[in-house]
Amino acid sequence: MADTDGIQDTHDYHLDIAQTAETFPLKGCQSLDWGMKNRLSHIFDPKTGRTVMLAVDHGYFMGPTSGLERIDVNINPLLPYANTLMCTRGVLRSLIPPTFNKGVVLRASGGPSILKELSDERIAVDMEDALRLNVAAVAVQVFIGGPFETQSVHNMTQLVDQGNRYGMPVLGVTAVGKELARDAKYMRLATRICAELGATYVKTYFVEKGFETVAAACPVPIVIAGGKKLPEKEALTMAYQAVQQGAAGVDMGRNIFQSTAPTAMIQAVRKVVHENMKPNEAYEYYQSLAG
Ligand code: 5RP
C-alpha cells in the first residue's frame, strides 16, 4: 500500500507568475514535437542556436580517408570541442565511447564507393537501429541534378516519414557532382527541395556569391560542409562568412581533422560559430593554441 502519511495540501500555485512560453531557437522548427526538438538541442547549442558538427563519415564511400585512419587516436580527443559528431554506425559502435553524451548524427545512406557512380545510394540504416543507438538525427545524401536524383530524394522522404513517426530529425545533405555548378542558384534549388520535402535541417556548401540568398530561401536551418582542405585562415573565413550570412553552423570534417593542429582548429571554429569571432582573431587564436 502506498505510504500516504504526511501528504500535505497543495497551495503554492504562484498565481502572480504566468507560465513561460519559450520559443525554440531554430528557424522553421517551432511546430516540431518535443522529442524532435529535444534531439535538435543535442545538435544545436540552445544558447546560440548554432552548431559545430564534426564530420567523420567520409569512410562510408572513401575508405580510410587521410586523417581518419585511426579515429580512436585522431578524432576521439576532439570530441569535447564538438557539439555533435557525424559518423557511420560502424564507427560509432566500434570506436566512439558510449560515454560520449552529445548528439550523434548518423550517416543513413550509402551504397557505392568512390570506384562507382556515387549518386546511386540507398537508405543504409533502419530507423529502429538509429533509435537503438540513441542518435540525435540521421543524415541522407540528396543528389539534385544527378543521374539518380529521384532515388536519392525518395531515400530522404522515406527517412522523413520514419523520422516523423519516431521523433528523429533528418539532415538532408545536398551533394554536388563534378558536373554540377556550385553556385547560389544551384544551392538554392537543392536546399529548398530538401526542406520542402521534409528535411528537418539541410547541409550544403558555402558559395562566395549569394550565400545569404541560399540561407534566406531555405525555411529550415542550414549548416555548411567544410569541403576540401583549405589553409586554416581561409577555412575560418568561410565559416565566419557562412554564419554571418545565415548558416546555423558548420558540419566540418577535413578542414578540422586534416589541419596541422586539429584540436586548435576545432576550438577556433567554435569561437567563430558560437562567439562570432572575426577570422583574423580566430586565426590568431588557432595559432596560439597550435603553438
Ligand atoms: C560526405 C559528407 C561529409 O560529412 C561532409 O562532406 C563534411 O565533411 P567535409 O567538411 O570534409 O566536406 O557528407 O558526403
Side-chain angles (χ1 to χ4, degrees):
M1 191 155 149
D3 180 2
T4 54
D5 285 355
I7 287 185
Q8 297 176 0
D9 274 349
T10 56
H11 62 281
D12 204 0
Y13 294 99
H14 297 286
L15 298 178
D16 55 333
I17 304 174
Q19 183 173 316
T20 48
E22 277 190 27
T23 50
F24 194 65
L26 297 179
K27 78 168 181 177
C29 296
Q30 300 304 325
S31 305
L32 299 178
D33 194 18
W34 193 93
M36 193 84 92
K37 285 178 176 158
N38 183 258
R39 282 197 158 93
L40 287 170
S41 302
H42 288 105
I43 300 170
F44 295 89
D45 183 330
K47 285 199 237 45
T48 62
R50 291 182 184 162
T51 185
V52 174
M53 296 176 59
L54 176 61
V56 299
D57 60 325
H58 307 58
Y60 91 95
F61 66 103
M62 286 167 61
T65 311
S66 168
L68 297 180
E69 298 88 341
R70 286 289 303 273
I71 285 180
D72 54 336
V73 176
N74 297 331
I75 299 301
N76 288 0
L78 304 180
L79 295 180
Y81 307 106
N83 289 107
T84 306
L85 180 71
M86 180 178 182
C87 66
T88 59
R89 62 176 160 183
V91 159
L92 190 59
R93 282 201 166 97
S94 55
L95 296 170
I96 306 301
T99 47
F100 176 69
N101 59 8
K102 297 176 188 168
V104 168
V105 176
L106 189 67
R107 165 58 58 187
S109 65
S113 73
I114 38 171
L115 306 178
K116 290 279 178 70
E117 167 53 51
L118 280 178
S119 65
D120 188 16
E121 286 195 350
R122 301 289 186 278
I123 292 174
V125 168
D126 196 283
M127 191 56 73
E128 189 186 292
D129 206 29
L131 290 163
R132 188 178 295 119
L133 286 166
N134 201 28
V135 300
V138 293
V140 53
Q141 217 79 355
V142 179
F143 298 87
I144 299 302
F148 295 92
E149 177 184 73
T150 301
Q151 172 68 47
S152 72
V153 168
H154 188 55
N155 293 342
M156 188 190 81
T157 54
Q158 280 183 291
L159 284 169
V160 168
D161 284 333
Q162 293 164 15
N164 286 344
R165 194 170 306 141
Y166 298 109
M168 180 69 74
V170 174
L171 169 60
V173 179
T174 61
V176 283
K178 284 193 189 75
E179 69 285 1
L180 296 167
R182 281 191 190 202
D183 58 17
K185 190 175 175 194
Y186 174 79
M187 298 306 173
R188 280 195 300 267
L189 176 76
T191 54
R192 182 65 176 253
I193 288 173
C194 287
E196 296 259 356
L197 291 173
T200 323
Y201 73 112
V202 180
K203 171 165 136 179
T204 190
Y205 288 87
F206 180 71
V207 286
E208 286 289 338
K209 243 173 101 183
F211 181 79
E212 68 275 25
T213 66
V214 181
C218 183
V220 296
I222 281 200
V223 293
I224 61 149
K228 68 171 194 299
K229 173 77 176 72
L230 301 167
E232 279 75 5
K233 195 170 179 180
E234 282 177 40
L236 292 166
T237 303
M238 178 176 69
Y240 180 79
Q241 289 176 334
V243 293
Q244 296 308 313
Q245 292 175 37
V250 299
D251 184 19
M252 197 172 261
R254 288 163 286 177
N255 277 295
I256 292 174
F257 63 71
Q258 291 177 353
S259 166
T260 38
T263 313
M265 186 59 182
I266 193 169
Q267 289 181 81
V269 172
R270 276 192 79 91
K271 289 276 181 199
V272 168
V273 169
H274 290 301
E275 296 176 30
N276 295 309
M277 189 180 266
K278 295 225 165 72
N280 282 344
E281 204 189 332
Y283 183 60
E284 279 169 23
Y285 181 69
Y286 161 79
Q287 283 180 310
S288 70
L289 294 177

